[in-house]
């Protein structure tokens, strides 16, 4: 069985920064496992600018930010496997992977860095009545379709939730020729950055309606519209405010959840508030030698913060391996 | 004399700026936590500009689109023209980050550059 000093689960911003930090601490046998066909994670579909102001002191797009790390990974000849899904991690740090090229493989790691990132809250968690028609996407899925696959989900769009991805997608869909009718936000305040409200909504005259939610989805085969309604201070729907809005696409930007299926299965203890692992001051989980960083730990607003955190986690993982504990 | 309120978009902090304007000239800017705020306020009042990011068709790569941006900011009222002008553009792999895809987009004097490196697809 192949033995590595550190196996890093996920080749996004967290995994890349952790790998580089461990390498700089002198660790030789590092392996990054990535399920997608390229390194960089979600940054590859975040084509807008605004990344890297803290770390590089310039404004980069997502792919540019990722590339700065990927180029270093290549230069340091850090090993990575693409199109490789981690299906299981045991508490003794045996990692089982699956890929079309190599089939099933089992690796032994001395230390593991969990860097799987997060996923979007899906429609099912929102309890909106109605059929399950086509045309409903999480904002990040739509982002991937538009920015990487060149596929436009629709022409008349309603966005529920005003997280940053929702705001960014409001602008993106508009630039691609869609009409974004409204961004509805349940809370009294947008969850997105102020700058995104300005440059993604106000620049394009897209209305943001606060304390408003989708109470009904119309259409059976394909979405034909939604019913919006205001909510009161307690979050109760005010029936007299119900309003029908036609649309062929509904994007959901209603929160992100750390992706911890693998962590849970191997016995890592999670914090119920963040849905991420409980970590000590060395970014180590309750399992000795298993570290976590980035959005799998908790959802970060800025990728710069993910990179900084991952650098620390990678450094501690390296110290763990060197200490031989 | 007129007071205007703007949110600075230069960084994620989003400072609330108060700008005093007279005859479309900026007299003062307050509320910013760094010099970028004043720079942004003056530009936003006199000649608002933005970086535009979008994609063009990519031929030969693992994905169908190549992300691109305006190398520097262009006037806000040219955003749609810029995106429209890029509609039919197709680029073949390999293409490298920073490569110029279109020179002087819609006569802004600004080039469109690739924001990712895309090598030719190696397997099916």
């Amino acid at each position: 069985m192949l033995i590595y000093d550190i196996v890093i689960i996920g080749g996004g911003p967290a995994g890349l920064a952790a790998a580089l930090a461990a390498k700089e601490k002198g660790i030789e046998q590092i392996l990054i496992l990535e399920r997608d066909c390229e390194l960089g994670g979600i940054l590859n579909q975040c084509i807008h600018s605004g990344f890297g102001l803290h770390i590089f002191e310039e404004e980069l797009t997502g792919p540019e930010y990722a590339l700065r790390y990927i180029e270093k990974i290549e230069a340091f000849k850090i090993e990575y496997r693409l199109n490789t899904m981690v299906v299981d991690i045991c508490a003794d740090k045996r990692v089982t992977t699956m890929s079309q090229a190599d089939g099933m493989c089992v690796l032994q790691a001395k230390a593991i860095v969990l860097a799987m990132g997060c996923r979007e809250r899906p429609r099912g968690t929102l309890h909106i009545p109605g059929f399950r028609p086509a045309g409903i996407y999480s904002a990040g899925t739509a982002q991937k379709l538009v920015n990487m696959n060149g596929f436009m989900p629709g022409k008349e769009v309603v966005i529920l939730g005003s997280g940053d991805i929702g705001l960014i997608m409001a602008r993106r869909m508009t630039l691609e020729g869609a009409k974004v009718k409204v961004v509805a936000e349940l809370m009294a305040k947008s969850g997105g950055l102020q700058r995104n409200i300005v440059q993604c909504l106000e620049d394009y005259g897209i209305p943001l309606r606060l304390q408003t939610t989708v109470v009904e989805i119309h259409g059976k085969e394909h979405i034909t519209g939604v019913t919006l309604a205001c909510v009161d201070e307690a979050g109760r729907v005010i029936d007299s405010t119900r309003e029908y809005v036609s649309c062929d696409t509904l994007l959901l930007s209603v929160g992100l959840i750390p992706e911890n299926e693998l962590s849970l299965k191997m016995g890592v203890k999670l914090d119920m508030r963040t849905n991420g692992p409980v970590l000590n001051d060395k970014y180590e989980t309750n399992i000795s030698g298993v570290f976590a960083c980035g959005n799998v730990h908790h959802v970060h607003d800025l990728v710069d913060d993910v990179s900084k955190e991952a650098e620390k986690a990678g450094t501690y993982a390296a110290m763990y391996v060197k200490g031989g504990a | 004399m007129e007071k205007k309120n703007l949110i600075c978009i230069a960084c994620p902090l989003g400072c609330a700026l108060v700008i005093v304007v007279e005859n479309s000239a900026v007299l003062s800017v307050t509320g910013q936590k760094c010099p970028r705020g004043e720079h942004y306020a003056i530009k936003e009042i006199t000649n608002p500009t933005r970086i535009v990011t979008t994609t063009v068709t990519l031929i030969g790569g693992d994905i169908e689109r190549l992300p691109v941006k305006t190398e520097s900011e262009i006037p806000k009222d040219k955003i749609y023209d810029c995106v429209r002008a890029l509609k039919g553009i197709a680029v073949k792999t390999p293409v490298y980050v920073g490569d110029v895809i279109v020179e002087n987009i819609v006569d802004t004097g600004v080039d469109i550059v690739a924001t990712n490196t895309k090598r030719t697809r190696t397997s099916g």
Side-chain angles (χ1 to χ4, degrees):
Chain A
M1 185 169 20
L2 276 172
I3 299 174
Y4 286 90
D5 289 326
I6 302 179
V7 171
I8 294 166
I9 319 295
L16 296 176
L20 285 171
K23 183 76 182 180
E24 274 164 19
K25 285 277 170 273
I27 302 295
E28 286 303 321
Q29 301 297 322
I30 302 172
L31 176 66
I32 304 171
L33 297 170
E34 169 57 48
R35 67 181 166 193
D36 209 340
C37 62
E38 57 186 349
L39 294 175
I42 208 70
L43 285 169
N44 287 320
Q45 69 182 61
C46 298
I47 64 163
H48 53 282
S49 66
F51 304 93
L53 277 165
H54 294 292
I55 287 197
F56 299 111
E57 287 177 353
E58 57 181 307
E59 192 161 333
L60 302 172
T61 64
E64 288 171 314
Y65 185 99
L67 212 52
R68 299 255 171 133
Y69 285 86
I70 295 169
E71 280 169 356
K72 280 194 194 167
I73 294 280
E74 303 280 6
F76 284 123
K77 299 194 163 50
I78 296 175
E79 190 182 341
Y80 57 87
R81 288 189 199 168
L82 303 176
N83 302 305
T84 301
M85 183 82 185
V86 174
V87 290
D88 193 36
I89 312 173
C90 299
D92 64 2
K93 305 189 195 71
R94 254 182 309 136
V95 180
T96 308
T97 68
M98 192 73 89
S99 72
Q100 201 169 9
D102 300 320
M104 195 169 89
C105 297
V106 182
L107 315 161
Q108 178 68 56
K110 293 179 190 163
I112 287 175
V113 179
L114 303 172
M116 294 90 82
C118 58
R119 67 160 67 115
E120 298 180 279
R121 242 180 100 201
R123 178 193 167 172
T125 63
L126 300 179
H127 309 295
I128 306 169
F131 287 105
R132 294 283 180 274
I136 304 172
Y137 302 87
S138 61
T141 302
Q143 188 179 45
K144 182 163 192 178
L145 290 173
V146 174
N147 292 346
M148 299 182 81
N149 305 120
F151 172 80
M152 266 296 276
K155 293 196 175 89
E156 253 193 329
V157 186
V158 170
I159 299 179
L160 175 60
S162 60
D164 285 310
I165 314 171
L167 301 176
I168 295 284
M169 280 313 290
R171 172 176 64 184
R172 192 73 195 105
M173 298 288 284
T174 304
L175 286 178
E176 286 297 326
K179 168 83 187 154
V180 177
K181 292 185 142 180
V182 60
V183 176
E185 169 59 54
L186 178 70
M187 309 303 280
K189 190 176 164 292
S190 163
L193 295 170
Q194 277 294 332
R195 69 189 310 222
N196 284 336
I197 294 176
V198 173
Q199 62 185 355
C200 297
L201 300 188
E202 290 173 10
D203 273 5
Y204 298 92
I206 301 166
L208 171 63
R209 281 168 60 176
L210 300 171
Q211 290 185 291
T212 302
T213 190
V214 171
V215 292
E216 210 177 325
I217 291 170
H218 303 275
K220 194 169 176 187
E221 298 301 324
H222 201 284
I223 184 169
T224 54
V226 294
T227 301
L228 297 178
C230 298
V231 297
D232 63 18
E233 299 303 322
R236 284 175 305 228
V237 171
I238 305 166
D239 266 332
S240 59
T241 63
R242 289 169 73 98
E243 180 196 342
Y244 177 79
V245 179
S246 68
C247 65
D248 62 14
T249 307
L250 173 64
L251 299 189
L252 303 174
S253 177
V254 290
L256 301 166
I257 308 166
E259 191 170 336
N260 273 296
E261 281 77 6
L262 287 168
S263 331
L264 267 179
K265 224 166 120 188
M266 74 184 292
V268 166
K269 217 182 275 168
L270 299 191
D271 183 321
M272 295 323 288
R273 292 165 304 177
T274 60
N275 289 308
V278 179
L279 301 181
N280 65 17
D281 57 357
K282 294 185 169 63
Y283 294 91
E284 192 177 22
T285 66
N286 58 306
I287 302 176
S288 166
V290 177
F291 301 80
C293 55
N295 282 351
V296 79
H297 171 211
H298 69 87
V299 176
H300 294 63
D301 283 335
L302 303 182
V303 69
D304 300 63
D305 295 336
V306 167
S307 297
K308 284 183 204 163
E309 180 178 293
E311 230 170 82
K312 290 186 211 156
T315 302
Y316 284 120
M319 284 161 63
Y320 173 88
V321 170
K322 283 187 156 180
Chain B
M1 217 160 65
E2 190 191 353
K3 255 190 187 177
K4 285 190 176 172
N5 294 296
L6 286 179
I7 301 289
C8 180
I9 62 168
C11 92
L13 280 181
C15 294
L17 308 176
V18 181
I19 301 128
V20 180
V21 183
E22 194 171 52
N23 300 328
S24 60
V26 175
L27 295 184
S28 73
V29 183
T30 49
Q32 69 274 28
K33 293 190 183 73
C34 83
R36 279 187 299 227
E38 187 175 351
H39 181 71
Y40 169 74
I42 293 170
K43 266 210 318 202
E44 192 66 9
I45 298 292
T46 54
N47 173 33
T49 59
R50 296 287 185 267
I51 295 265
V52 178
T53 60
T54 183
T55 63
V56 297
T57 301
L58 180 69
I59 299 165
D62 284 315
I63 58 170
E64 287 75 25
R65 308 297 296 179
L66 173 75
V68 297
K69 70 174 181 184
T70 53
E71 197 171 20
S72 58
E73 295 176 341
I74 65 166
K76 217 169 134 179
D77 57 15
K78 293 273 178 100
I79 294 175
Y80 280 108
D81 292 342
C82 170
V83 172
R84 243 175 263 135
L86 289 170
K87 273 279 179 255
I89 303 290
V91 180
K92 273 190 193 143
T93 56
V95 51
Y96 298 94
V97 67
D99 282 1
V100 174
I101 304 300
V102 179
E103 282 179 4
N104 184 22
I105 188 77
V106 291
D107 285 327
T108 52
V110 175
D111 294 342
I112 296 290
V113 295
T115 58
N116 207 350
T117 294
K118 288 288 160 202
R119 297 192 170 82
T120 305
R121 183 173 48 222
T122 44
S123 61

